[in-house]
Amino acid sequence: MLFHTLPLPESLSQGIADAGFTECTPIQALTLPLSLAGKDVAGQGQTGTGKTAAFLITLFDRLLRVDNGGNQPRALILAPTRELVVQIEHDARLLGLHCGFSILAVYGGVDYDKQRETLRAGVDIVIGTPGRLIDYLKQGVCRLDHVQMLVIDEADRMFDLGFIGDLRYILRRLPSYDRRQNLMFSATLNHRVMELAYEFMNMPEQVKVNRDHLTADNIEEVLYHVAGKEKFPLLLGLLRREAMERVMIFVNTKREGERLQALMTANECTSRMISGDVPQEKRLRIMRDFKAGKLPILIATDVASRGLHIEGVSHVINYDLPEDSEDYVHRIGRTARAGATGKAISLADERGALSLEDIETYIGHSIPTQWAEDELLATEYKRAAKVPRSGGKGGPASRAGEGAGKKRPHRRRR
């Protein structure tokens, strides 16, 4: 399906053309005929398949065809993390460049007063995380009773991060489900996600793409079994041997990320690390540098594993195998985006190997294994100074805010 064949307003078609979009991805081709006809849709697709454009095109089309409702928000997009909100805002401004709508991103960590005053003055589209938006709602900064379009992105992650209570608080302040259009997109449409859909959506149509194949065909996967003490020598050897232009390295805890960055710095490998408790302005600055190609290596916890579209990521490296099988899919989905090819390398030490069987069962195939021969290991490297402990011993305190695990003892607002 080609975008120019869709019955879209001219201003929206111009933004799509400016973005360089010509042919719909599979999930867009399945979703748009339904959503543009006004139906509610619950969509599932593997990461990087174009879900964001699918709901943004529907949103702009609806707002362009429906009368303005005053200075209160007309559309609301909810996402679980700040990084994803920033990404959606970027895509919305690109696709909606000629539509004339005011767009505001609402999320924690930056610009509290500026966001509040902009929201109070009136905007058409709000893209936000639940916690910051609830703060403004309780202050009476805005109302949501004029919302004509609701989008919930990464709904399963809302559950994972303990935001479901916040989400329900917000949804109960919208017009009734039959007086607005509702779109929900998620990497998985499990029972709890669909229960939420049937509670707050109007008989949603389910759309699923590649339900039996969770990892993209254009990602080359490889697994190295390696002793824990040899993980860094192997990583450094691979970085030196392979042509890695832009690399994301995933770790499970902030503590491990700090230790790895110290080792990389000692060995003259330029890298930066982001985790859930890195100040938001710093996180955004690091992400901008990485997207612009100024930073070749990004070390990250699972705060960066979902939703972010970064062109040109040649390699994803699981320095730690994730404890949650779904996170493996989201991590390696940072490469091979928009039809490109990429490589995903996983290092399984004694501890990480415990997660391997569950991961391979979830993705439906064995990860091809290569042996970490001696010639792959870097024999000459510098050891870093000891990293001071900043959040315990790699347990819950060092994971706070990262989205590293499925079960959490309490909610952390973003």
Side-chain angles (χ1 to χ4, degrees):
M1 180 185 293
L2 300 177
F3 281 106
H4 73 78
T5 64
L6 296 172
L8 300 173
E10 177 59 32
S11 57
L12 177 54
S13 295
Q14 184 61 49
I16 293 171
D18 289 350
F21 294 175
T22 55
E23 186 175 352
C24 295
T25 65
I27 196 165
Q28 292 164 357
L30 290 173
T31 299
L32 288 171
L34 297 171
S35 60
L36 292 175
K39 296 182 180 295
D40 285 10
V41 173
Q44 171 184 309
Q46 67 191 39
T47 185
T49 54
K51 292 177 287 184
T52 303
F55 67 68
L56 286 174
I57 290 170
T58 302
L59 183 152
F60 287 129
D61 178 75
R62 183 177 179 89
L63 295 193
L64 286 167
R65 298 178 190 277
V66 178
D67 292 338
N68 197 327
N71 70 340
Q72 296 299 323
R74 301 173 59 200
L76 175 63
I77 303 173
L78 295 171
T81 67
R82 303 164 185 175
E83 283 73 20
L84 186 50
V85 166
V86 172
Q87 179 69 57
I88 295 171
E89 180 196 22
H90 173 270
D91 293 345
R93 294 190 183 281
L94 179 65
L95 291 173
L97 179 63
H98 305 285
C99 296
F101 296 121
S102 54
I103 301 169
L104 176 65
V106 172
Y107 55 92
V110 295
D111 298 333
Y112 187 92
D113 292 335
K114 181 179 179 181
Q115 291 176 17
R116 181 183 59 195
E117 294 311 309
T118 303
L119 188 58
R120 192 191 304 275
V123 294
D124 295 306
I125 301 166
V126 173
I127 307 165
T129 55
R132 175 60 66 90
L133 180 59
I134 287 176
D135 286 345
Y136 294 144
L137 291 174
K138 289 183 175 180
Q139 295 176 37
V141 175
C142 71
R143 305 190 315 274
L144 299 178
D145 54 353
H146 286 77
V147 169
Q148 301 159 6
M149 169 70 74
L150 167 70
V151 177
I152 302 174
D153 197 18
E154 297 288 0
D156 55 342
R157 199 61 166 172
M158 294 283 193
F159 282 92
D160 296 345
L161 297 177
F163 291 158
I164 190 59
D166 287 350
L167 189 59
R168 283 194 162 95
Y169 178 93
I170 293 170
L171 298 183
R172 287 171 182 147
R173 279 148 183 81
L174 301 177
S176 63
Y177 64 82
D178 56 344
R179 292 175 50 213
R180 62 177 195 257
Q181 187 175 5
N182 308 279
L183 304 179
M184 176 184 290
F185 286 83
S186 179
T188 56
L189 292 179
N190 53 37
H191 175 74
R192 59 183 181 174
V193 171
M194 289 311 301
E195 185 177 50
L196 181 72
Y198 290 127
E199 181 180 357
F200 291 101
M201 300 175 71
N202 187 15
M203 300 183 65
E205 301 271 357
Q206 289 191 49
V207 171
K208 296 184 179 182
V209 176
N210 289 342
R211 70 189 73 182
D212 298 322
H213 193 191
L214 294 176
T215 57
D217 292 328
N218 48 351
I219 300 176
E220 178 188 352
E221 297 175 75
V222 61
L223 174 78
Y224 290 97
H225 285 280
V226 60
K229 63 181 180 181
E230 294 180 337
K231 280 175 70 175
F232 182 72
L234 176 58
L235 172 66
L236 190 58
L238 292 171
L239 289 172
R240 290 173 175 175
R241 287 171 61 96
E242 297 204 19
M244 299 190 185
E245 300 172 359
R246 191 173 301 173
V247 187
M248 294 187 73
I249 302 176
F250 283 100
V251 294
N252 287 347
T253 67
K254 174 192 172 187
R255 170 74 179 169
E256 185 64 18
E258 291 173 336
R259 191 185 75 84
L260 179 56
Q261 186 183 0
L263 282 166
M264 299 285 278
T265 300
N267 288 275
E268 300 181 349
C269 293
T270 303
S271 66
R272 300 294 297 276
M273 196 272 291
I274 64 170
S275 63
D277 53 0
V278 171
Q280 184 63 26
E281 290 186 358
K282 183 177 179 181
R283 282 161 62 175
L284 293 175
R285 185 169 62 251
I286 292 172
M287 291 302 299
R288 283 196 297 268
D289 288 346
F290 186 63
K291 289 181 177 182
K294 299 177 182 178
L295 176 67
I297 300 173
L298 178 68
I299 302 168
T301 59
D302 283 306
V303 72
S305 69
R306 288 205 184 199
L308 302 185
H309 176 68
I310 303 169
E311 293 184 1
V313 175
S314 61
H315 291 72
V316 167
I317 299 176
N318 286 307
Y319 191 74
D320 297 327
L321 274 179
E323 297 172 358
D324 190 297
S325 302
E326 290 183 17
D327 288 332
Y328 176 82
V329 176
H330 296 303
R331 288 180 179 188
I332 72 172
R334 299 312 99 203
T335 187
R337 300 180 70 84
T341 59
K343 188 170 184 178
I345 300 172
S346 297
L347 310 184
D349 60 9
E350 302 87 346
R351 185 173 181 177
L354 299 176
S355 304
L356 183 57
E357 183 178 355
D358 288 343
I359 291 172
E360 292 184 332
T361 299
Y362 179 73
I363 63 177
H365 65 266
S366 297
I367 304 172
T369 300
Q370 295 184 15
W371 298 106
E373 304 290 353
D374 290 344
E375 59 265 24
L376 289 179
L377 306 181
T379 55
E380 296 183 5
Y381 64 93
K382 297 177 182 177
R383 287 168 173 78
K386 200 166 185 178
V387 178
R389 293 190 182 276
S390 58
K393 299 182 180 180
S398 66
R399 296 170 187 266
E402 297 172 5
K406 284 280 185 184
K407 296 181 180 178
R408 298 188 171 276
H410 58 81
R411 179 178 71 237
R412 179 181 175 91
R413 284 190 176 177
R414 292 178 182 258

